[in-house]
């Protein structure tokens, strides 16, 4: 049964045709994959279905009835729910408060009853959440469950998930997949947006590919494959060489990159560029987050930090990049004691930092691209002379970066907030790589990137490594860590569970360590058995 | 946490070089339309209260522009408005909602008058410069109180600066009745006159237009340069996001302090200008309304130096003309306030009200 | 038929013309003067209210001067400096300052001997108090208000050695609620007769006395009706005669360089009693003291000394 | 300094005076708690209070009923709140300036209308105010009785409203929605709440309460209307809200702290403390800053404080 029909949906933004006569059918009981490069128009299309944006043209029917969806309230009334890429929860509220928000009139709240109901719905779909917890204390994965629960509690028949797995650990992604399948069995309709092709093939029943705002391909999932999807996403305008490369990437990135990944450029006498000694750091709530970590990263080496989100990775990175105070222990950058540096000293020592939260830390959304790419260098030659800004130089620099890093934007003067998520990330990466750094600290650098862009960033990281740069790479994406790292340190509860060399690191061992088993204990077990 | 307030008034954040002329033009057109609307509303009120709107507005226009004398009065009034606007625009772009211009002006007046009265034996020009610097220092220190409380103790500046305004008013009241009172003044609440040679030269004889006006124009130039400078850029980044600013290596508290200090100094100079250009002695109530109107001017000018110059001039004309209207067309004083309030609210809503006309 | 001379007069008030006090007295006095002069001098009068800020005063003066007004009256001490400045440039225009001490050939100062009222009210309060505590509330400690408060202290002490005089300033002429609290605070401290030095806040003081049932006195206008059960007397100003004199002198060309006082001697000020209450409270001894003081003021034999220099702690 | 004037009765008087100072401020502050919780900074309270004072006075004067005066004050306050809502929510203008504009407008309009209604008079029109009622039993308590339970009905009403505001804010779905709108409007929006409507309502509540706070002065305290009679109480109310950290109960304490400072300042003058009156008059404002600094590190502003909301769709 068709639940939603979108016909001829067109949406224009200044300088961009985000959706161009899009037709989309959604059936009850299916998980529908929505694919496309960064900026293809996926989020826009779904925002229209959810009533956040109004289409310029086109028609929507829900269960056969033509409807106009003016606002999320209308969408909810039609049984449509959406979980955004950037969660829309009220952090200081409890789970229950977030879920009942906007429901049941204006009168008194019966908290106990609400909690009971929520627990019931949660049980029905196998979603594990504590209804009394404050959202700001929850991990990203749990927050996502709260969002899903919130839609289901509202009686959503159609649930849109915008890149739900981008922020999840493999385990969390797996449990999400199970939940989605279960919902499909209950005849719900699910729209699943993702850049991870394997996942899409595994989880969905049908897929639609958007390119430059247009639907270019729709198929039953079982009738398609990675290569086809990748080709449809990228389109035919590319040179055959590029296409071959991207297709290869989509098929087996490892193989393509093997030429560079194989051997680390680091030799024993390569300088030790990042060093951390017995580091202790506290989190925003002033609780210990990093508890005695030590490691070194040499020039020409990538050290991966694997771990389930929220085990102190962010605090570790922020302490090294000097945006967070150090409780005790020491940090050395390029041989210098950086423990008492400021963020500015870190930057001045030719060190780059890609934060995992571009919204909060990386970009200023209402600054245009040229301002954003020069945030760290505007007061240096040639962008400033005698304390005055050199606007032509700044704009030239921005144009150049935008072109080199393939940021899809109408020009250097549009606000960063108007870019699609993936292109925002590219902008951050471009900025950080632009100054030929000696040290790179990257926290989830490919978050939200499409396959082409992610591969590009990976390639860049390896190029930098080849230049002799020391790279600290934090990621909850195991594939990424395994693909790029020379060594992998697994973090659990603020401590190191041990360091694995390339080759030693297999997903299973990593999984155990990420769950809190130290490597030494594993080795002991091995010997015993 | 900071009090962040987005301004819709077209603060250029694009790297299209310093001045977004197109936005500026839109602003001017929209502002003109809202002014017309405000005058229509005011005209209706005039009719209701039994006055002839045409005659009233004629006297408003005459009062602001009718003769050279009237016109210079408009410029005289524009002087402190412009200085205050430029000053607060720096804070506002740093998202520091400093509404303490009133108090900072008072402190500027106090400091500079003190130097004029108590420092002896300097050549006049040097003495005047010293008084000028003292005025800047007075404003700077007063604004730094709020700046320090904000930068290091996260005390909301809207509150601290408005409280500091009251405190400054009473401090001035105390000084002109106590330590700084004119001993020959029959107990009147005022200081002695400053030495005559320190009075600012008039630009046009027999009018009140004086050198302070040029200082205000210089402040506009300074602002134009400031926003092209790295210091200005740092200020803007800190204003846009404290967190990003910290991540890109800026010293956020220091930038906030510098912005409040610069802003306070400019406002202090406005206080200096009022004393040395117009009153020549410390009296009470010298600053009434400038704080508020200066803020209004800053935002109506889109925090843009050129925009603010236009807005300052416009508001000065409105005030000077409004007063004339009150005197000569027998319009109740309260109606002038009402029209002013309407102008502010309508001009603020201009982007919404006249969306279509400019796109 | 003799031609009636014409005079253009501008009266600039720092507050509202209906403030039942300082400004209203001026407004009514000027209207009375204009009326009294009818037939003799044709006065074209313009009144403007709420010109309070020094920044607005000078432009107003300039504007009137340029428009050919003959007499410009600034009703408050804040007009002194601007008038002195502008008068220099417009020697053909006459200016009058309401309370001040500076003058020029075309500038005169008119003022009220509020100290006379303060002293008389002090006598009444000091005599009638049972608690030996009396109080006075004012807006801002300035010029004639200061003199009035000081004289109140002197008057009370002259008749009652043991009296304690409380004095509060509200800091804002419009903060009526604050004035009422100040009065209540004095009453709580034991004061049982209050006076006030006028302006809007005076009404609030009378209200407080009415509420607490104690005696009080009015100022500037006849305020006996505002709290008829409690207001024993009012010290009333009549600016009419001096305004009339100033206009006449403007026509004659003799205006300027002098003080125009309203005082008991020229009946510019007077004490108006609330008959009913007066009968009840003012005994012979008090009446005698009052009469003596009034006489002393009129004859010039009662000298309170330099009130400006006296500090109210 | 007259130490001997300090009697029990005097001290009780100072405390009761603090309560009276606090009452009108508290009305406005309670409303502003709602407004700011919804993410709007309304700096126009001063102007709205003046309009409330005027309309309350006119209503009571013409109808002879103080309650009708109050009703009118609340309605007019609400209308002023609507105006602020249009400018700050619909037109998305800067809230600091919008508030200052409302203050100028309210000040001018209240004076103008007063003159239009009553003309130039020799004696100000007056009304009888709410009488002081000593509460049964409670009013007889020593000291506490006189400080807290010997007031006019508007004082008791505002105490009750503190509780009502607390319940509405924390125990109802409306309060939850309002707080969400101020904390994270996009969350409220995606849950089907109308951010614009809720912000309008919050400003109307704030306006109505400021109207009542303004009306307190002529109806419960003075019996007359006076130009600018609020004398800065609206700005104080805004300060009280910030240092109450957006909580109705703490707003009560905040208003009492300010009221206490003001009453203390008056008392010190009465006692002839050896400080100039001008310096004493600074006291309440200095206390306000000190208290604010004391709590600021803990002051979590509503997440979307003073930020206009739009869906980002142009
Ligand atoms: N609010 C907006 N204003 C202007 N342009 C916008 C806005 N939202 C999206 N766009 C533009 O519309 C296009 C489609 O954006 P959209 O966010 O739908 O892409 P997407 O397919 O979700 O990409 P991604 O994979 O990077 O999330 C992009 O070019 C983007 O810059
Ligand atoms: N607020 C600020 N935040 C970050 N950097 C700043 C700030 N102000 C100045 N700087 C940097 O400091 C450099 C010198 O500025 P300035 O002389 O004012 O500071 P300084 O205290 O001498 O700093 P330094 O430690 O670099 O000598 C500037 O080029 C600029 O890069
Ligand atoms: Mg997207
Ligand atoms: Mg240096």
């Amino acid at each position: 049964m068709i639940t939603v029909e979108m016909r001829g949906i067109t949406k224009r933004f200044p300088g961009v045709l985000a959706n161009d006569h899009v037709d989309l059918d959604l059936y009850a009981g299916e998980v529908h994959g929505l694919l496309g490069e960064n900026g293809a128009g996926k989020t826009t299309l779904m925002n229209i279905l959810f009533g956040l944006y109004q289409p310029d043209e086109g028609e929507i029917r829900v269960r056969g009835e033509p409807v106009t969806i003016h606002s999320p309230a209308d969408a909810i009334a039609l049984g449509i729910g959406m979980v955004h890429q950037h969660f829309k929860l009220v952090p200081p509220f409890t789970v229950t408060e977030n879920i009942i928000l906007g429901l049941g009139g204006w009168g008194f709240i019966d908290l106990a009853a609400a909690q009971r109901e929520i627990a019931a719905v949660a049980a029905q779909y196998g979603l594990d959440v504590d209804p009394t917890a404050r959202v700001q204390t929850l991990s990203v994965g749990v927050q996502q469950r709260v969002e899903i629960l919130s839609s289901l509690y509202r009686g959503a028949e159609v649930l849109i998930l915008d890149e739900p797995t981008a922020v999840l650990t493999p385990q969390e992604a797996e449990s999400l997949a199970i939940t989605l399948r279960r919902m499909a069995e209950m005849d719900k309709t699910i729209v699943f947006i993702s850049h991870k092709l394997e996942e899409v093939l595994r989880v969905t029943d049908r897929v639609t590919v958007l390119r430059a705002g247009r639907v270019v391909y729709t198929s039953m999932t079982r009738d398609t494959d990675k290569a086809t999807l990748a080709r449809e996403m990228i389109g035919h305008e590319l040179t055959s060489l590029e296409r071959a490369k991207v297709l290869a990437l989509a098929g087996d990135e490892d193989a393509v990159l093997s030429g560079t990944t194989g051997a680390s450029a680091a030799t024993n006498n390569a300088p030790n560029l990042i060093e951390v000694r017995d580091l202790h750091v506290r989190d925003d709530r002033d609780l210990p987050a990093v508890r005695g970590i030590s490691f070194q990263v040499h020039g020409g080496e990538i050290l991966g930090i694997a771990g389930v989100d929220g085990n102190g990775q962010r605090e570790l990175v922020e302490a090294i990049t000097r945006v967070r105070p150090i409780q005790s222990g020491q940090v050395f950058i390029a041989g210098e004691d950086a423990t008492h540096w400021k963020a500015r000293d870190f930057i001045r020592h030719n060190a780059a930092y890609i934060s995992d939260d571009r919204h909060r830390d990386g970009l200023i959304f209402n600054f245009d691209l040229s301002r954003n790419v020069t945030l760290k260098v505007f007061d240096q030659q040639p962008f400033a002379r005698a304390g005055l800004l050199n606007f032509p130089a700044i704009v030239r620099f921005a144009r150049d970066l935008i072109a080199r890093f393939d940021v899809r934007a109408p020009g250097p003067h549009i606000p960063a907030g108007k870019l699609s998520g993936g292109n925002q990330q590219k902008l951050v990466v471009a900025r950080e790589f632009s100054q030929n750094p000696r040290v790179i600290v990257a926290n989830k650098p490919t978050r939200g990137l499409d396959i082409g862009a992610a591969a590009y960033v990976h390639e860049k990281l390896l190029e930098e490594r080849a230049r002799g740069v020391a790279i600290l790479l934090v990621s909850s994406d195991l594939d990424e860590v395994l693909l790029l790292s020379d060594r992998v340190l697994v973090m659990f509860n603020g401590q190191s569970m041990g360091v694995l060399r390339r080759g030693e690191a297999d997903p299973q061992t990593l999984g155990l360590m990420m769950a809190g088993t130290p490597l030494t204990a594993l080795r002991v077990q091995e010997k015993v058995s | 946490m900071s009090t962040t307030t987005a301004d819709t008034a077209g603060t250029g954040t694009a790297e299209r070089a310093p001045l977004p002329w197109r936005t500026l033009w839109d602003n001017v057109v929209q502002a003109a339309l809202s002014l017309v609307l405000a005058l229509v509303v005011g005209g209706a009120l005039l009719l209701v209260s039994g006055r002839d709107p045409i005659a009233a507005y004629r006297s408003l226009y005459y009062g602001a522009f009718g003769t050279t004398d009237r016109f210079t009065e408009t410029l005289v009034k524009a002087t402190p408005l412009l200085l205050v606007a430029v000053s607060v625009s720096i804070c506002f772009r740093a998202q520091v909602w400093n509404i303490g211009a009133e108090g900072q002006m008072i402190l500027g007046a106090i400091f500079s008058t003190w130097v004029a009265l108590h420092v002896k034996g300097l050549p006049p020009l040097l003495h005047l410069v010293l008084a000028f610097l003292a005025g800047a220092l007075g404003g700077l220190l007063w604004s730094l109180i709020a700046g320090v409380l904000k930068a290091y103790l996260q005390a909301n500046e809207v509150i601290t600066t408005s409280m500091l305004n009251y405190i400054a008013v009473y401090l001035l009241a105390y000084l002109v009745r106590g330590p700084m009172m004119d001993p020959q003044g029959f107990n009147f609440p005022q200081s002695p006159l400053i030495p005559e040679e320190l009075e600012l030269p008039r630009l046009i004889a027999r009018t009140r237009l004086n050198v302070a006006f040029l200082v205000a124009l210089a402040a506009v130039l300074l602002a134009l340069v400031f926003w092209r400078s790295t210091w200005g850029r740092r200020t803007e980044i800190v204003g846009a996001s404290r967190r990003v600013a910290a991540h890109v290596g800026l010293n956020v508290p220091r930038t906030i302090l510098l912005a409040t200090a610069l802003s306070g100094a400019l406002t202090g100079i406005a206080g200096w200008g009022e004393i040395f250009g117009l009153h020549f002695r410390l009296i009470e109530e010298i600053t009434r309304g400038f704080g508020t109107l200066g803020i209004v001017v800053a935002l109506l000018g889109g925090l843009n130096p050129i925009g603010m110059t236009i807005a300052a001039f416009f508001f000065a004309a409105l005030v000077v003309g409004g007063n004339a209207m009150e005197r000569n067309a027998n319009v109740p004083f309260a109606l002038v306030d009402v029209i002013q309030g309407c102008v502010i609210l309508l001009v603020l809503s201009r982007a919404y009200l006249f969306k279509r006309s400019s796109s | 038929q003799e031609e009636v001379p014409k005079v253009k007069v501008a009266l600039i008030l720092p507050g509202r013309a209906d403030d039942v006090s300082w400004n209203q007295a001026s407004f009514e006095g000027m209207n009375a003067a204009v009326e009294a002069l009818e037939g003799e001098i044709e006065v074209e009068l313009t009144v403007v209210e709420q010109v309070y800020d020094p920044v607005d005063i000078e432009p107003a003066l300039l504007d009137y001067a340029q428009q050919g007004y003959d007499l410009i009256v600034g009703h408050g001490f804040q007009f002194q400096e601007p008038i002195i400045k502008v008068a220099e440039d417009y020697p053909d225009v006459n200016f009058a300052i309401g309370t001040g001490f500076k003058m020029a050939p075309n500038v005169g100062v008119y003022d009220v001997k509020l100290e006379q009222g303060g002293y008389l009210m002090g006598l009444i309060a000091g005599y009638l108090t049972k608690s030996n505590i009396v109080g006075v509330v004012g807006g801002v400690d300035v010029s004639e208000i200061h003199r009035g408060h000081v004289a109140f202290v002197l008057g009370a002490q002259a008749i009652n050695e043991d009296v304690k005089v409380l004095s509060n300033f509200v800091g804002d002429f419009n903060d009526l609620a604050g004035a009422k609290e100040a009065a209540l605070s004095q009453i709580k401290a034991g004061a049982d007769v209050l006076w006030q030095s006028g302006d809007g806040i005076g009404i609030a003081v009378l209200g407080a006395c009415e509420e607490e049932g104690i005696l009080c006195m009015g100022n500037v206008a006849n305020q006996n009706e505002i709290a008829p059960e409690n207001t024993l007397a009012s010290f009333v100003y009549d600016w009419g005669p001096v305004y009339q004199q100033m206009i006449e002198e403007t026509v004659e060309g003799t205006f300027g360089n002098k003080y125009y006082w309203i005082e008991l001697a020229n009946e510019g000020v007077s004490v108006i009693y609330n008959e009913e209450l007066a009968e009840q409270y003012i005994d012979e001894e008090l009446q005698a003291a009052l009469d003596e003081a009034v006489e002393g003021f009129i004859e010039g034999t009662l000298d309170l000394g330099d009130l400006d220099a006296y500090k109210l702690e | 300094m007259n130490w001997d004037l300090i009697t029990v009765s005097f001290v009780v008087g100072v405390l009761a005076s603090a309560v009276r100072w606090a009452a009108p401020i508290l009305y406005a502050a309670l409303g502003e708690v709602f407004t700011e919780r919804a993410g709007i900074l309304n700096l126009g309270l001063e102007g709205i209070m003046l309009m409330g004072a005027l309309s309350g006075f006119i209503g009571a004067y013409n109808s002879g009923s103080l309650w009708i005066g109050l009703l009118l004050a609340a309605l007019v306050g609400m209308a002023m709140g609507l105006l602020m809502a249009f400018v700050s929510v619909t037109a998305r203008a800067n809230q600091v300036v919008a508030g200052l504009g409302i203050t100028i407008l309210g000040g001018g309009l209240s004076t103008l209308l007063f003159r239009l209604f009553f003309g130039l008079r020799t004696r100000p029109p007056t009304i009888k105010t709410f009488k002081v009622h000593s509460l049964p039993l409670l009013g007889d308590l020593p000291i506490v009785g006189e400080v807290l339970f010997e007031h006019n009905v508007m004082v008791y009403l505002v105490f009750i409203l503190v509780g009502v505001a607390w319940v509405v804010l924390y125990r109802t779905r409306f309060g939850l929605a309002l707080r969400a709108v101020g904390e994270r409007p996009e969350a409220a929006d995606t849950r089907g709440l109308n951010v614009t409507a809720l912000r309008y309502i919050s400003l109307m509540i704030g306006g109505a309460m400021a109207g009542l706070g303004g009306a307190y002065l002529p109806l419960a305290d003075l019996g007359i209307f006076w130009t600018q009679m609020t004398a800065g109480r609206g700005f104080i109310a805004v300060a009280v809200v910030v240092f109450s950290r957006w909580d109705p109960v703490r707003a009560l304490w905040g208003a009492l702290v300010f009221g206490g400072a003001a009453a203390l300042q008056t008392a010190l003058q009465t006692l002839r403390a050896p400080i100039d009156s001008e310096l004493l008059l600074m006291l309440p404002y200095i206390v306000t800053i000190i208290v604010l600094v004391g709590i600021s590190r803990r002051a979590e502003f509503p997440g979307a404080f003073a930020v206009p909301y739009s869906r980002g769709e142009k």
Side-chain angles (χ1 to χ4, degrees), chain A residues 268-327:
Chain A
N268 284 341
N269 55 11
N272 165 12
L273 292 179
I274 309 176
E275 180 169 0
V276 167
R277 285 189 203 153
D278 191 26
L279 196 65
H280 288 260
V281 187
R282 284 170 180 273
D283 66 12
D284 288 337
R285 284 165 289 160
D286 210 30
L287 301 173
V290 177
R291 310 188 302 153
I293 290 231
S294 304
F295 59 77
Q296 302 181 343
V297 190
H298 294 269
E301 182 187 37
I302 298 182
L303 175 69
I305 305 265
V308 177
D309 252 356
N311 272 289
Q313 295 97 318
R314 167 184 286 214
E315 288 77 12
L316 171 68
V317 161
E318 290 185 349
I320 294 172
T321 55
R322 303 308 309 116
V323 294
R324 180 180 287 277
I326 290 172
Q327 197 71 24

Side-chain angles (χ1 to χ4, degrees), chain A residues 309-349:
Chain A
D309 252 356
N311 272 289
Q313 295 97 318
R314 167 184 286 214
E315 288 77 12
L316 171 68
V317 161
E318 290 185 349
I320 294 172
T321 55
R322 303 308 309 116
V323 294
R324 180 180 287 277
I326 290 172
Q327 197 71 24
S328 67
Q330 283 171 298
V331 172
F332 294 87
I333 300 293
E336 285 185 51
D337 185 349
T339 314
H340 301 291
W341 281 3
K342 303 238 156 33
R344 179 168 146 215
D345 304 309
F346 179 81
I347 295 162
R348 292 289 138 87
H349 281 77

Side-chain angles (χ1 to χ4, degrees), chain B residues 80-101:
Chain B
L81 288 182
L82 193 48
L83 275 165
V84 169
V86 169
S87 140
V88 297
S89 72
I90 292 167
C91 273
F92 284 8
R93 285 242 204 148
Q95 295 283 338
V96 174
W97 294 95
N98 167 10
I99 56 172

Side-chain angles (χ1 to χ4, degrees), chain D residues 30-291:
Chain D
L30 281 181
E32 181 77 359
V33 164
F34 280 84
T35 307
E36 293 194 11
R37 277 290 178 131
I40 306 279
L41 167 67
N42 184 3
L43 270 188
L45 289 188
E46 182 81 4
I48 301 181
M49 285 181 83
L50 280 167
M51 286 301 288
L54 174 84
S55 47
F57 182 79
I58 289 180
Y61 186 87
N62 287 325
S63 70
S65 157
L66 293 167
W67 295 103
I68 289 185
L70 282 186
L71 184 69
L72 193 64
L75 288 176
V76 168
M78 215 180 265
M80 293 293 284
L82 266 180
L83 184 59
M84 176 72 189
F86 171 77
V87 179
S88 62
V89 179
T90 303
R92 298 167 30 80
N94 180 290
Q95 293 168 15
V96 171
V97 193
L100 295 175
I102 295 274
T103 291
I104 294 179
L105 181 68
L109 201 56
S110 57
T111 307
L112 181 70
L113 291 175
F114 183 74
R115 184 64 64 81
L116 285 181
F117 269 91
F118 296 103
L120 262 172
R121 300 193 166 206
T122 35
R123 239 183 320 117
T126 56
I127 52 170
K128 286 263 169 276
T129 58
F130 283 111
K131 283 277 157 293
V132 170
H133 289 288
S134 179
L135 289 190
L137 296 179
L138 291 173
D140 298 334
L141 294 173
I143 300 183
V144 182
E146 194 179 338
V147 173
L148 294 178
F149 305 111
E150 260 190 63
H151 290 286
N152 66 70
V153 61
M154 280 194 82
V155 174
Y156 302 133
L157 181 63
V158 81
F159 286 149
I160 294 169
L161 285 175
V162 169
V164 172
W166 189 88
V167 169
V168 170
L169 210 49
Y170 295 114
R171 289 287 176 265
T172 67
R173 292 177 191 263
F174 170 71
L176 187 70
L178 209 65
R179 286 184 286 137
V181 160
E183 199 63 55
R184 193 92 207 277
E186 52 285 35
D189 192 5
T190 51
R191 276 170 182 69
L193 289 168
N194 188 334
V195 175
T196 304
L198 280 162
R199 288 189 162 173
Y200 263 76
I201 291 171
S202 82
L203 273 161
M204 282 160 67
I205 295 175
M209 291 294 286
L212 292 178
Y216 179 96
L217 298 172
L219 301 189
D221 193 13
L222 297 163
I224 53 175
F225 173 83
W226 203 259
T227 303
Q228 302 293 344
M229 72 191 303
T230 49
R233 285 170 178 77
F235 290 103
I236 298 296
V238 176
V240 163
V241 171
V242 174
F243 72 58
S244 75
R245 286 176 282 150
W246 304 276
D247 179 281
V249 177
R250 281 193 294 252
L252 170 65
W253 303 129
L256 286 174
V257 165
F258 180 85
L264 182 65
Q265 168 275 120
T266 310
L268 287 173
Q269 273 199 51
T270 303
L271 296 176
R272 310 179 83 179
I275 313 176
D276 288 81
S277 60
E278 293 80 21
L279 296 181
L280 278 177
L281 286 166
M282 295 178 188
L283 185 67
Y285 306 99
I286 294 175
V287 169
T288 302
I289 291 184
I290 292 172
V291 175

Side-chain angles (χ1 to χ4, degrees), chain A residues 344 348 379, chain B residues 234 249-251 254-255 258:
Chain A
R344 179 168 146 215
R348 292 289 138 87
D379 55 1
Chain B
R234 271 196 286 276
L250 297 187
N251 182 338
R254 174 159 102 176
T255 310
L258 286 173

Side-chain angles (χ1 to χ4, degrees), chain A residues 434-476:
Chain A
S434 66
Q435 299 302 306
N436 298 323
R438 281 217 295 165
V439 166
I440 297 175
V441 176
N443 194 359
K444 299 187 189 155
T446 57
R447 183 176 177 176
L449 291 189
D450 64 39
I451 41 169
Y456 180 77
V457 171
H458 290 164
E459 216 178 284
K460 282 282 167 194
L461 282 169
L462 294 174
E463 257 175 53
E464 295 297 317
R465 182 184 73 170
R467 275 202 314 117
V469 177
I471 300 173
L472 184 68
L473 170 71
V474 177
S475 179
S476 52

Side-chain angles (χ1 to χ4, degrees), chain B residues 177 187 208 278 281 288, chain C residues 58 81 85 140-141 308:
Chain B
R177 289 190 174 75
N187 227 23
R208 305 203 302 155
L278 300 177
R281 65 167 16 136
R288 261 240 300 226
Chain C
E58 215 176 311
E81 297 308 324
K85 236 181 289 172
V140 172
D141 185 9
D308 288 325

